[in-house]
């Protein structure tokens, strides 16, 4: 029994020291979206090297990946992220709206609406493109199986919805767009909750003729699996997906990591950071870098949320909020 | 010798209910065997064969990868904290409901068993509502400078919730059968309450405690749902072994995921072995009838 009491005391001891593991100023927690794993694995190594050269300090960057709406929720409940790197403006905005963890003008703190790189929903088809999928039109044809995650839980899929909607609106007119989306949803055999799960459905389980996800993910899968298995198709039009980043002031201040966190995000805009992002098939604004990788990025007309949907507030009210258009169209599925 | 024959016939009639002839028995046995093969043995075999698919070297490299190493360490730490606390809780709970009679006793037994029937994800979300920054006690805990959510304490709490009934459930039927006679004798002879517990009650139930602890340990190490909600999924920090397996799988690192899975599977198989051994050597457990509590 004595041994048992000692074990218990030791256990409680470990429990009590847990708060002491709190972060030192040389550690950052980057809370990110699901499919950015490989990108930040590379960014973190490069940044740590640069920071060491500049300041002589070693820095550790911890990563957490999941659906970005779920991540935002966790941060509101106390996951102490120093920085967030998300794929959806609304998921960052909620940190201000519901927790005041960041200032209202967070998007103005860094260039391009605090989005160091951008991407677009693109198509990944099986080798030889047997169903001849070239544009959004081809997705609603009978007998075509389309794979993308559930637009209610995945930011990634919400962009797919927006791209398809913008395409239909511009080609057939606003009154026909709803019908187009209904036909598109009808061609999806399974809605996974996140981007990676949808990828697994398409790649591992071999379901579907086309996977719609960010261009960065489609191209990485093709590289990983081989050009003899998949082809990337970038449609003539798509929607601009921003990847907003920000320092989470409340926690960075608490940890004393604000300077480091800011430097980390600025690194994403530096030529070295932009090079890594572009190498991972994310489009960047640095002209030299884009010229270097121009073969990776086919021409595409990108609709902006601001121009096509009147900004995020209007978009949320008309399309994405509970009971709005997406619910109506998705509910019929 | 008519008598034994008739007895044998009688026994055979007993084990062969109406309509269940040898054919039916074989068919049923065959179905069970096939289902066991499909649902249990095939997946288990696949885990080991996938883990070793890229050679034994890759297998060990996967296991020594820092993320997986940390996940194993975190899982063991969690078990080292959660299991002893559950033993104390289980002993106290079983002692209370079997040695004393008080109003609300049946309700308490039902409450102890609640985690059996509740989905682990509900437990995780409930902890967020209680201890999260925007939860019931979250602001208070934060003001005190203690970090509960998305750190080791939350992982331990979630694991403890899920496994709360494991030890108590083993003890309650046994202690009910044993009754209070021996304790009463000890007290009559002048033993203190603590001495009675240490020298009479505890030795009587030690095998059941161990049995419950082993099952509790296996469940703590394997818990996914509740821990997933409260861990924050920080790589190399708050990913337990089950979370690490999912993470590796989604990273397209199938060999790594299955290598980590073999560790959990080994724990499970070891648990079964220990369970069987305990059942053999423990007289208490063999005698304990599986009576529902309250009888």
């Amino acid at each position: 029994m004595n041994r048992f009491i000692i074990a218990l005391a030791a256990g409680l001891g470990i429990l009590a020291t847990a708060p002491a593991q709190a972060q030192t100023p040389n550690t950052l927690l980057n809370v990110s979206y699901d499919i950015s794993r490989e990108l930040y694995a590379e960014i973190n190594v490069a940044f740590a090297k640069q920071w060491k050269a500049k300041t002589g300090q070693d820095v550790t960057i911890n990563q957490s990946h999941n659906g970005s709406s779920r991540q935002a929720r966790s941060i509101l409940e106390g996951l102490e992220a120093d920085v967030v790197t998300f794929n959806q403006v609304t998921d960052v905005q909620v940190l201000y709206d519901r927790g005041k963890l960041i200032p209202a003008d967070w998007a103005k703190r860094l260039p391009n609406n605090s989005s160091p790189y951008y991407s677009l929903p693109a198509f990944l088809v099986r080798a030889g493109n047997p169903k001849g999928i070239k544009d959004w039109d081809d997705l609603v044809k009978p007998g075509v199986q389309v794979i993308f995650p559930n637009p209610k839980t995945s930011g990634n899929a919400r962009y797919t919805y927006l791209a398809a909607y913008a395409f239909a609106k511009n080609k057939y007119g606003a009154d026909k767009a709803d019908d187009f989306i209904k036909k598109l949803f009808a061609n999806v055999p399974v809605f996974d909750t996140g981007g990676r799960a949808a990828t697994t459905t398409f790649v591992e389980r071999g379901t579907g003729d086309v996977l719609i996800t960010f261009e960065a993910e489609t191209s990485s899968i093709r590289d990983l699996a081989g050009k003899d298995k998949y082809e990337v198709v970038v449609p003539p039009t798509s929607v601009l997906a921003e990847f907003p980043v920000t320092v989470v002031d409340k926690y960075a201040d608490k940890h004393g990591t604000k300077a480091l966190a800011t430097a980390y995000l600025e690194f994403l805009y530096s030529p070295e950071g932009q090079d890594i992002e572009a190498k991972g098939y994310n489009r960047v604004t640095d002209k030299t870098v884009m010229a270097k990788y121009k073969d990776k990025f086919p021409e595409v007309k990108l609709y902006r949320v601001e121009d096509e949907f009147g900004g995020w507030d209007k978009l949320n009210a008309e399309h994405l909020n509970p009971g709005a258009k997406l619910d109506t169209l998705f509910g019929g599925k | 010798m008519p008598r034994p024959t008739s007895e044998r016939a009688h026994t055979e009639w007993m084990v062969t209910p109406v309509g269940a002839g040898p054919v039916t028995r074989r068919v049923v046995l065959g179905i069970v065997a096939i289902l066991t093969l499909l649902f249990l043995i095939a997946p288990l075999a696949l885990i080991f064969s996938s883990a070793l698919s890229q050679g034994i070297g890759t297998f060990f490299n996967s296991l020594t990868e820092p993320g997986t190493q940390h996940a194993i360490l975190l899982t063991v730490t969690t078990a080292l904290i959660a299991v002893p606390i559950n033993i104390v809780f289980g002993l106290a709970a079983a002692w209370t409901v079997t040695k004393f009679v008080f109003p609300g006793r049946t309700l308490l037994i039902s409450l102890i068993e609640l985690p059996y029937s509740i989905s682990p994800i509900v437990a995780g979300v409930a902890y967020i509502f209680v201890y999260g920054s925007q939860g019931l006690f979250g602001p208070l805990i934060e003001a005190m400078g203690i970090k509960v959510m998305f750190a080791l304490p939350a992982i331990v709490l979630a694991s403890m919730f899920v496994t709360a009934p494991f030890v108590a459930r083993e003890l309650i039927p046994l202690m009910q059968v044993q009754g209070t006679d021996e304790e009463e004798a000890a007290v009559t002879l002048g033993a203190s309450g603590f001495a009675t517990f240490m020298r009479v009650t505890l030795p009587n139930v030690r095998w059941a405690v161990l049995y419950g602890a082993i099952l509790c340990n296996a469940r703590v190490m394997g818990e996914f749902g509740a821990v997933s909600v409260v861990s924050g999924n920080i790589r190399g920090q708050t990913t337990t072994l089950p979370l690490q397996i999912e993470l590796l799988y989604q990273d397209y690192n199938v060999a790594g995921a299955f290598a980590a899975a073999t560790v959990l599977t080994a724990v499970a198989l070891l648990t079964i072995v220990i369970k069987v051994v305990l059942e053999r050597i423990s007289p208490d457990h063999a005698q304990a009838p599986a009576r529902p509590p309250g009888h």
Side-chain angles (χ1 to χ4, degrees):
Chain A
M1 195 62 191
N2 281 337
R3 256 176 300 165
F4 174 66
I5 290 168
I6 292 166
L8 182 65
L12 290 174
I14 297 170
L15 194 68
T17 54
Q21 293 172 357
Q23 296 175 325
T24 57
N26 288 340
T27 306
L28 284 184
L29 174 58
N30 176 7
V31 173
S32 194
Y33 55 100
D34 204 11
I35 59 174
S36 63
R37 303 157 189 237
E38 293 78 11
L39 173 65
Y40 283 102
E42 206 172 329
I43 290 274
N44 292 350
V45 172
F47 173 73
K49 210 165 134 195
Q50 197 207 54
W51 186 258
K52 174 95 176 164
K54 214 189 263 175
T55 65
Q57 285 176 325
D58 287 309
V59 52
T60 312
I61 296 145
N62 294 315
Q63 287 293 140
S64 169
H65 294 278
N66 229 315
S68 71
S69 300
R70 179 177 164 180
Q71 296 288 59
R73 175 90 223 179
S74 292
I75 292 169
L76 286 171
E77 294 293 357
L79 180 60
E80 297 191 355
D82 298 279
V83 298
V84 292
T85 50
F86 281 166
N87 59 8
Q88 193 97 144
V89 172
T90 34
D91 291 328
V92 184
Q93 184 63 32
V94 79
L95 300 179
Y96 166 75
D97 292 342
R98 299 177 72 164
K100 302 284 180 286
L101 305 180
I102 55 173
D105 65 343
W106 64 269
K108 297 202 177 69
R109 292 196 288 189
L110 287 164
N112 306 324
N113 282 330
S114 291
S115 177
Y117 52 93
Y118 63 98
S119 194
L120 48 120
F123 308 155
L124 184 73
V125 298
R126 305 202 182 272
N129 198 357
K131 300 268 167 121
I133 294 158
K134 292 282 170 213
D135 201 350
W136 295 94
D137 265 348
D138 301 319
L139 303 177
V140 298
K141 286 181 182 158
V144 173
Q145 283 201 325
V146 185
I147 304 287
F148 56 85
N150 185 339
K152 294 301 292 175
T153 56
S154 160
N156 186 335
R158 253 170 267 158
Y159 280 118
T160 298
Y161 163 78
L162 295 179
Y165 193 90
F167 164 83
K169 195 177 105 181
N170 284 286
K171 184 158 182 186
Y172 303 115
D175 51 328
K176 300 264 172 54
D178 287 10
D179 219 40
F180 184 85
I181 296 291
K182 268 189 199 157
K183 277 193 211 154
L184 175 64
F185 283 164
N187 272 356
V188 181
V190 51
F191 288 98
D192 291 297
T193 49
R196 266 299 149 88
T199 302
T200 311
T201 299
F202 185 75
V203 173
E204 304 272 337
R205 286 167 47 201
T207 303
D209 302 305
V210 52
L211 170 75
I212 312 180
T213 182
F214 292 124
E215 185 185 30
E217 176 92 341
T218 56
S219 301
S220 311
I221 300 164
R222 182 205 49 207
D223 287 1
L224 206 69
K227 288 193 170 68
D228 54 329
K229 289 208 176 115
Y230 302 104
E231 284 173 28
V232 173
V233 174
V234 175
T237 68
S238 194
V239 71
L240 176 84
E242 291 179 314
F243 291 73
V245 302
T246 199
V247 173
V248 183
D249 300 64
K250 184 181 166 186
Y251 296 128
D253 285 339
K254 182 179 165 188
H255 304 149
T257 51
K258 201 154 187 182
L260 178 65
T262 310
Y264 177 71
L265 294 185
E266 279 165 356
F267 179 78
L268 299 174
Y269 289 89
S270 71
E272 195 184 353
Q274 298 262 296
D275 193 275
I276 295 170
E277 288 143 31
K279 212 165 52 178
Y281 297 98
N282 295 286
R283 297 185 183 221
V284 296
T285 43
D286 187 306
K287 294 210 169 58
T288 329
V289 174
M290 275 309 262
K292 180 176 165 193
Y293 292 111
K294 68 175 189 304
D295 294 345
K296 288 187 171 212
F297 303 113
E299 286 274 329
V300 56
K301 176 178 167 47
L302 291 178
Y303 298 117
R304 299 185 69 98
V305 167
E306 286 74 15
D307 309 329
E308 201 64 26
F309 297 96
W312 281 98
D313 288 340
K314 191 152 175 263
L315 172 69
N316 285 333
E318 285 178 8
H319 286 266
L320 304 181
N321 283 349
K325 189 167 285 221
L326 173 59
D327 268 358
T328 320
L329 297 175
F330 192 64
K333 165 73 194 173
Chain B
M1 300 214 309
R3 224 187 123 109
T5 321
S6 84
E7 253 182 14
R8 224 178 112 224
H10 182 73
T11 353
E12 236 169 54
W13 179 82
M14 288 284 284
V15 295
T16 314
V18 184
V23 178
T24 320
R25 217 184 313 161
R26 264 173 221 157
V27 169
V28 172
L29 194 69
I31 291 173
V32 171
I34 289 169
L35 289 184
T36 311
L37 193 71
L38 281 179
F39 292 116
L40 282 170
I41 298 174
L44 278 180
L46 196 78
I47 289 174
F48 286 101
S49 74
S50 301
L52 294 168
S53 62
Q54 293 178 25
I56 193 101
T58 319
F59 175 75
F60 282 109
N61 281 343
S62 304
L63 286 185
T64 49
E65 189 263 325
T68 304
Q69 288 272 299
H70 188 276
I72 294 172
L73 183 72
L74 179 66
T75 303
V76 171
T77 311
T78 306
L80 281 177
I81 302 169
V83 174
I85 295 177
N86 263 346
I87 292 175
V88 173
F89 169 78
L91 273 170
W95 168 272
T96 316
V97 299
T98 56
K99 308 283 173 178
F100 305 98
V101 177
F102 55 92
R105 188 171 149 272
T106 323
L107 182 71
L108 184 63
I109 295 176
S110 311
L111 272 180
I112 292 169
E113 291 184 6
L114 186 67
Y116 268 144
S117 48
I118 215 164
S119 164
I121 196 128
V122 176
V125 172
Y127 271 111
I128 289 210
F129 283 134
V130 177
Y131 298 107
S133 291
Q134 305 193 334
L136 202 57
F137 300 130
L140 183 75
I141 292 168
E142 251 167 50
M144 285 156 58
I146 303 172
K147 189 155 168 46
V148 175
M149 290 314 289
F150 310 111
L152 181 65
I155 296 173
V156 172
L157 280 173
S159 308
M160 274 165 48
F161 179 93
V162 173
T163 55
F166 277 69
V167 176
R169 195 67 191 78
E170 290 301 320
L171 292 180
I172 289 171
L174 179 63
M175 285 166 91
Q176 258 164 353
V177 170
Q178 288 173 347
T180 52
D181 298 352
E182 292 186 28
E183 278 89 354
E184 275 164 23
V187 173
T188 317
L189 291 171
S192 69
F194 186 67
T196 311
F197 177 76
M198 294 300 286
R199 296 196 173 180
V200 179
T201 311
L202 198 56
N204 273 340
V205 297
R206 62 184 190 278
W207 293 112
V209 170
L210 196 56
Y211 187 86
I214 297 287
L215 293 184
C216 175
N217 179 62
R219 182 64 198 270
V220 166
M221 289 191 163
E223 179 52 30
F224 177 83
V227 172
S228 163
V229 178
V230 301
S231 96
N233 281 306
I234 307 169
R235 294 185 161 221
Q237 300 271 315
T238 62
T239 45
T240 60
L241 203 43
L243 298 183
Q244 178 76 5
I245 292 170
E246 190 207 26
L247 204 125
L248 290 172
Y249 183 70
Q250 292 199 333
D251 280 353
Y252 309 119
N253 185 351
V254 176
F258 280 105
T262 57
V263 178
L264 275 186
T265 314
V267 170
L269 293 177
L270 197 65
T271 303
I272 294 174
V273 171
I274 297 175
K275 195 170 152 250
V276 170
V277 170
L278 278 181
E279 271 166 4
R280 289 264 167 86
I281 61 170
S282 99
D284 303 348
H285 204 272
Q287 282 163 11
R291 273 198 212 175
H295 275 247

